[in-house]
């Protein structure tokens, strides 16, 4: 036998247990012994039934993603599933944890699937820029129907065991020792006798497919795909399952899989899969501190969202405000936000109550004394922050982690204002903090490693994607955003319009362009920040002086009439832009989409290279994780530094140099690391 596959017997039932930690991926060293075992068991007359189970925390979580992009070693998953379908005795997949991707496809090769009550089943390949390539798109609809399969495969979201049972994907759900239940299930089925139908020979799910309704839903999903190829291919492949004979549909699925697996989009999404996991790894990770209660200072939009993020992760939260009224206002907003989730059906009344029960409001700093982590989300001003940290220094228990949610300020300076700089770090949440995935964890010069390790772990527990960054103005995300933003104004003055620039961004795959984003976030934030730093942006500043702060005032770069959230072009803004350009003596000219990309995205990449060079980010992939999870950089392009590799660093440098010569602006001066990257093809080479 093999280290990765154990075959045992319980009477006449054989249990083949895959053991390939951590997630039982179907690596070559699993596939090979599994294939051999299945052939031997098929031909062994003493075996009445076969159970396929997994050791450890989960059923098979998919194909081994690290094998993609290399020549596939035989046997492939498809051959294993085909072999399963030649077995006349009953085969049963015993699913605990997660049966994902190739894991579910393996289970679909069995006659029956039984699941632990807590199991989840899904085909998440779309998130890797792929479609299920082991027959999933052709077999799943045969059990659950084409529309349900379409939704599962295009969203990639797994379903729970109970839902899977109701949909016909799972034959029985058990609590307790799953293997014992699965063996009993298999024995009973074998006793009743066959023939046992393979999924390929079943079509109950396909019988009543309303193809017009299917196509309408598929078209809607395609519109939302924002240039991603995988969701479209998934939908096409499920449709093939309805319209083509089984083997033809399977062959078509294979062809689509081969095309996608070699695509830049899938490479980008696989890069991000590993990048997110890599980002959470801390060199020299030390012991962790215990976090039982979290304090949050400030119950405004940011503080309230942060408090909700912790409550959602089951942490009791002490929420502090300066006055009783502000506290009640903050708590009422939190209550309202949870009620919206209840109305939408994403939260039960019970869960809402449980979350609200986590909150303890206070106006007295002394009430933070029992908190193990305290996050301040007060006004973005160094003097105010120092005052807060002075108070925290006086009341917080020894070893409590003191975090600031500052977006820009120098955390070393904040830390130095306390007697315990080793306990101070930054937790830069993104708004709305209870929704946005990204958390920049800012390591100050004196931050203790165990404090850092604690918050990295905590971030994962509350469902955040964490990236550890160093101290600089704006950290990774906002510093690069500033490099992108500096040219947007200039482009307007030279002849582009906000909607033209935003369109180039959405065509690139962003959910929205810089002006739509500014309007959404509130133009006053940047305005305040610029004023504090003695900077200006003539158009955005003028808009703010006119009280045009964006969506919240109904007017910004665009118009939002009658509470609409859809931006409408405002001729007044276009006149304002032309007037300001005339004042500066700039004659408008036609601006191309290429120029917009070169002058906004290339400086963004250049700034990323500088950040990497300075050690503010530890890895190029960390920067990609920040931009995809915090700023909407298109996943299919893998993040700015991954995309730089696709775009061609040589070309980027050439154009940066051109713009540097033309404008003399620093943002265009190619970073030395970008030049090294162009020579070596690797960001790491010089970093
Ligand atoms: C597929 O199946 C294609 C087929 O249709 C067709 C084939 C022909 N492979 O996430 P975690 C590693 S595509 C290789 O931190 P969790 C991961 O990198 C696949 N490695 O754990 C990490 O390594 P490290 C479809 C994998 O408990 C470690 O395992 N399936 C794979 O938070 C722990 O991972 C998917 O897309 C893999 N498939 O979450 C499922 N999966 O420790 C992808 C994980 O060195 N996986 N690793 O950093 C997941 O969604 C989560 O890992 C899972 C566990 C929910 C299972």
């Amino acid at each position: 036998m093999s280290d990765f596959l154990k075959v045992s017997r319980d009477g006449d039932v054989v249990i083949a247990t895959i053991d390939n930690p951590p997630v039982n991926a179907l690596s070559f060293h699993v596939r090979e012994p599994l294939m051999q075992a299945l052939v031997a068991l098929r031909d062994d007359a003493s075996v009445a039934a076969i159970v396929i189970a997994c050791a450890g925390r989960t059923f098979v979580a998919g194909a081994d993603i690290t094998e993609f992009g290399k020549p596939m070693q035989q046997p492939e998953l498809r051959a294993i599933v085909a072999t399963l379908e030649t077995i006349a005795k009953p085969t049963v997949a015993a699913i605990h944890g997660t049966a994902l991707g190739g894991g579910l496809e393996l289970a679909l090769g069995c006659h029956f699937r039984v699941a632990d009550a807590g199991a989840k089943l899904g085909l998440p390949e779309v998130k890797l820029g792929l479609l299920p390539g082991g027959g999933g798109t052709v077999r799943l609809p045969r059990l659950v129907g084409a529309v349900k399969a379409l939704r599962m495969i295009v969203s990639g979201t797994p379903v729970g065991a109970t839902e899977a049972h109701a949909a016909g994907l799972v034959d029985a759900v058990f609590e307790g020792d799953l293997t014992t239940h699965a063996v009993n299930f298999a024995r009973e089925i074998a006793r009743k006798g066959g023939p046992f139908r393979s999924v390929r020979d079943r079509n109950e799910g396909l019988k009543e497919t309303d193809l017009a309704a299917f196509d309408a839903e598929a078209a809607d999903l395609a519109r939302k795909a924002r240039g991603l190829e995988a969701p479209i291919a998934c939908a096409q492949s499920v449709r093939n399952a309805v319209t083509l004979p089984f083997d033809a549909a399977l062959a078509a699925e294979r062809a689509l899989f081969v095309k996608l697996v070699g695509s830049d989009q899938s490479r980008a999404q696989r890069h991000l899969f590993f990048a997110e996991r890599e980002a959470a790894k801390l060199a020299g990770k030390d012991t962790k501190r215990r976090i039982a209660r979290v304090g949050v200072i400030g119950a405004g939009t940011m503080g309230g969202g942060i408090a909700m993020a912790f409550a959602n992760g089951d942490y009791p939260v002490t929420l502090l405000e300066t006055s009783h009224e502000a506290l009640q206002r903050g708590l009422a907003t939190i209550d309202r936000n949870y009620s919206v989730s209840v109305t939408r059906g994403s939260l039960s009344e019970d869960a809402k109550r449980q979350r609200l029960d986590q909150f303890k409001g206070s106006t007295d700093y002394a009430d933070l004394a029992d908190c193990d982590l305290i996050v301040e989300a007060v006004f973005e001003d160094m003097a105010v922050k120092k005052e807060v940290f002075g108070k925290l220094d006086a009341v917080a228990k020894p070893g409590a982690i003191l975090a600031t949610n500052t977006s820009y300020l120098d955390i070393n300076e904040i830390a130095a204002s306390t007697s315990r700089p080793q306990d101070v770090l930054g937790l830069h949440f993104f708004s709305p903090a209870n929704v946005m995935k990204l958390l920049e964890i800012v390591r100050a010069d004196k931050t203790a490693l165990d404090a850092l390790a604690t918050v990295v772990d905590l971030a994962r527990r509350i469902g955040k994607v964490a990236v550890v960054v160093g101290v600089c103005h704006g950290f990774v995300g906002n510093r690069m955003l500033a490099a992108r933003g500096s040219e947007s104004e200039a482009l307007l003055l030279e002849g582009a319009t906000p909607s033209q620039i935003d369109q180039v961004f959405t065509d690139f795959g962003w959910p929205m362009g810089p002006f739509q984003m500014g309007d959404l976030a509130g133009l006053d934030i940047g305005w305040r920040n610029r004023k504090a730093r003695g900077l200006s942006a003539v158009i955005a500043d003028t808009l703010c002086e006119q009280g045009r702060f964006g969506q919240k005032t109904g007017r910004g770069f665009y118009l939002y009439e009658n509470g609409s959230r859809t931006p409408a072009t405002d001729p007044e803004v276009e006149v304002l832009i032309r007037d300001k350009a005339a004042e500066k003596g700039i004659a408008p000219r036609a601006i191309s989409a290429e120029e917009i990309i070169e002058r906004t995205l290339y400086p963004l990449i250049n700034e990323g290279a500088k950040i990497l060079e300075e050690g503010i980010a530890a890895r190029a992939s960390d920067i990609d994780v920040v931009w995809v999870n915090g700023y909407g950089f298109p996943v299919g392009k893998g993040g700015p530094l991954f995309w730089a590799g696709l775009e061609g660093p040589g070309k980027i440098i050439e154009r940066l140099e051109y713009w540097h010569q033309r404008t003399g602006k620093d943002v265009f001066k190619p970073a030395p690391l970008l030049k090294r990257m162009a020579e070596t093809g690797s960001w790491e080479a010089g970093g």
Side-chain angles (χ1 to χ4, degrees), residues 19-33:
D19 189 3
N20 185 26
V23 298
N24 289 314
L26 284 176
S27 317
F28 167 66
H29 56 246
V30 171
R31 295 196 306 274
E32 191 181 43

Side-chain angles (χ1 to χ4, degrees), residues 22-23 25 57-58 61-66 68 72 76-78 98 100-103 105 124-125 128 130-134 254 257 273-274 277-278 281 460:
V23 298
R57 60 177 153 124
T58 180
D64 185 338
I65 305 169
T66 61
F68 294 158
M72 188 55 78
E76 286 185 39
L77 170 62
R78 290 176 308 141
T98 45
L100 298 178
E105 292 175 304
E125 285 87 341
L128 299 168
L130 297 170
L131 84 166
R254 180 67 190 163
F257 182 83
F273 177 85
F274 291 112
R277 282 153 183 83
E278 210 47 42
K281 288 178 190 153
R460 188 177 159 102

Side-chain angles (χ1 to χ4, degrees), residues 75-92:
E76 286 185 39
L77 170 62
R78 290 176 308 141
I80 294 174
V81 175
T83 302
L84 268 169
E85 288 177 333
T86 63
I87 300 179
K89 52 194 107 189
T91 51
V92 179

